[in-house]
Amino acid sequence: MTLSEVQGIDLAARRVECAAGPIDYDYLVVATGAHHSYFGNDHWEAHAPGLKRLVDATEIRRRILMAFERAELAKSPDAQARELTFVVVGGGPTGVEMAGAIAELAHFTLARDFRRITSTDARVILIEAGDRVLAPFPPALSAKARASLEKLGVEVWSGVQVQDINADGVTSTNGFLPAATVIWGAGVAVKHLDQWLGVETDRSGRVIVADDLSVPGHDAVFVIGDAAKVPWKDGMDVPGIAPAAKQEGAFVARVIADRVAGTPTDRSFKYRHAGNLATIGRHAAVIDFGRVRLSGFVAWWLWGVAHIYFLIGVRQPIVVALSWFWSYLTYAKGARLITGVKGDQSPRDKAPEKPASG
């Protein structure tokens, strides 16, 4: 195994060009995943980070907690209101879960942490360009998800398009909204593969693969996960979720094993959809298993069980289950850690300097 940055792929020479040097291959599986897509407005990223990596999660937590701290020190009601306004862009599972989590943080976890502000005064706005949140879900479950969000105090703006994001806030078809914290969950894109592979991709950069997930014209190269455009049913593609990527990985492993063993194979990938799940805060979730559709408290527990079940090993599910149960009882009282060194903080994040003593 080599840890290095990929710089290109030479299909003719069957070689991956890396910063540490070239690596030859007999079979190549490309699973680069997807990155945030700002629809041609990449300068928004500095003001509206997305959630794809662990470092993204810690950065978003830092921004949210620092916003409350700055609100506590704000000199004017307008400045305080801006710091206590949180905007989540995108009404998919990521945006819905993020908006619910921020609302719960404000109403429960931080409710008694400040003297000058009331954290429950925080505004959480979820902006969705479509006509409803959780569009992949049936309309009835989508409506229940929206009702659960609004019960938590989230303002859901559906049918609203974001036009600009800067350090001061968000401009949308609803006008300008001053906001200190904006989180992006509206789109993803795959980078580099069109240049690396020189094959057809869709608008988001996903490679249009063959039935066996190989790159057309290059049967030793496979693309899986978020990087692959795989037809599914009713004009839809296989969704970019972990269960789909796991199924694709297992399928490609069997195809390669057959070829190495010299076993003739004409395998075609068939996606088995286990269902859609999304959680909305502490006691609510929606689940679509096809014929079985659930919402509310029971769905929330099933959501948790499903996530724990797929963890690797024996120790991890037990530890995570106990940790979640303790967080449930205590309203996540340990969620106060603000990470990040002084150099990576914006001017707003810096605490006011104390006068020199003596």
Side-chain angles (χ1 to χ4, degrees):
M1 182 174 66
T2 300
L3 177 63
S4 184
E5 180 181 354
V6 174
Q7 298 175 330
I9 298 173
D10 188 336
L11 294 176
R14 291 198 172 192
R15 183 169 57 235
V16 178
E17 305 292 345
C18 301
I23 301 175
D24 296 328
Y25 66 82
D26 295 311
Y27 294 95
L28 176 65
V29 181
V30 179
T32 54
H35 301 266
H36 315 302
S37 172
Y38 294 87
F39 308 111
N41 300 284
D42 291 344
H43 58 285
W44 292 356
E45 184 173 8
H47 312 293
L51 182 58
K52 278 291 183 183
R53 306 166 297 167
L54 181 60
V55 66
D56 297 332
T58 56
E59 170 62 14
I60 288 172
R61 179 181 61 188
R62 184 188 73 82
R63 292 193 181 206
I64 293 171
L65 294 178
M66 286 301 301
F68 283 100
E69 297 292 343
R70 292 193 300 266
E72 176 78 356
L73 300 175
K75 303 299 184 182
S76 71
D78 288 344
Q80 189 179 89
R82 178 183 171 280
E83 297 294 348
L84 290 177
T85 300
F86 302 87
V87 178
V88 180
V89 182
T94 298
V96 166
E97 294 181 7
M98 178 61 68
I102 297 174
E104 285 204 332
L105 184 72
H107 286 83
F108 300 105
T109 307
L110 303 179
R112 298 182 179 180
D113 280 19
F114 302 97
R115 292 179 297 175
R116 298 183 64 243
I117 65 169
T118 302
S119 66
T120 54
D121 290 339
R123 290 183 68 191
V124 182
I125 297 99
L126 177 63
I127 300 179
E128 165 57 37
D131 59 354
R132 61 188 178 93
V133 298
L134 298 180
F137 287 74
L141 289 181
S142 176
K144 289 182 178 180
R146 176 169 185 152
S148 295
L149 285 169
E150 291 173 343
K151 185 176 180 181
L152 282 172
V154 177
E155 300 176 34
V156 180
W157 292 4
S158 56
V160 175
Q161 294 184 347
V162 171
Q163 299 171 327
D164 188 34
I165 302 174
N166 57 37
D168 297 317
V170 177
T171 301
S172 71
T173 48
N174 271 5
F176 176 71
L177 176 66
T181 305
V182 184
I183 300 170
W184 186 263
V188 295
V190 180
K191 297 182 178 180
H192 308 306
L193 292 190
D194 53 345
Q195 293 92 2
W196 288 355
L197 300 176
V199 296
E200 185 179 4
T201 60
D202 67 0
R203 290 187 306 171
S204 63
R206 296 180 301 170
V207 175
I208 301 173
V209 296
D211 290 344
D212 63 353
L213 304 183
S214 66
V215 174
H218 302 276
D219 59 3
V221 181
F222 302 86
V223 182
I224 63 173
D226 290 348
K229 176 181 172 63
V230 185
W232 179 26
K233 65 176 184 179
D234 300 330
M236 297 186 296
D237 296 325
V238 172
I241 55 179
K246 291 169 67 175
Q247 290 180 36
E248 292 166 2
F251 172 84
V252 168
R254 290 192 295 269
V255 170
I256 294 175
D258 286 346
R259 293 185 184 177
V260 171
T263 303
T265 179
D266 58 352
R267 296 179 185 269
S268 295
F269 177 72
K270 304 296 182 184
Y271 173 57
R272 300 179 304 279
H273 188 56
N276 292 321
L277 302 87
T279 183
I280 311 117
R282 180 178 169 85
H283 285 150
V286 289
I287 294 178
D288 177 20
F289 288 143
R291 295 182 179 180
V292 178
R293 297 170 180 174
L294 300 171
S295 63
F297 184 74
V298 173
W300 181 73
W301 275 105
L302 286 176
W303 174 90
V305 169
H307 280 71
I308 292 173
Y309 175 79
F310 287 107
L311 293 176
I312 298 173
V314 176
R315 177 178 176 272
Q316 285 89 339
I318 295 174
V319 171
V320 171
L322 291 175
S323 175
W324 282 7
F325 182 65
W326 179 251
S327 296
Y328 175 78
L329 293 177
T330 63
Y331 284 91
K333 293 301 183 183
R336 302 295 198 283
L337 184 62
I338 301 176
T339 58
V341 297
K342 184 177 181 180
D344 72 357
Q345 294 176 338
S346 65
R348 284 193 189 86
D349 293 344
K350 296 178 181 179
E353 295 182 359
K354 295 181 179 179
S357 58

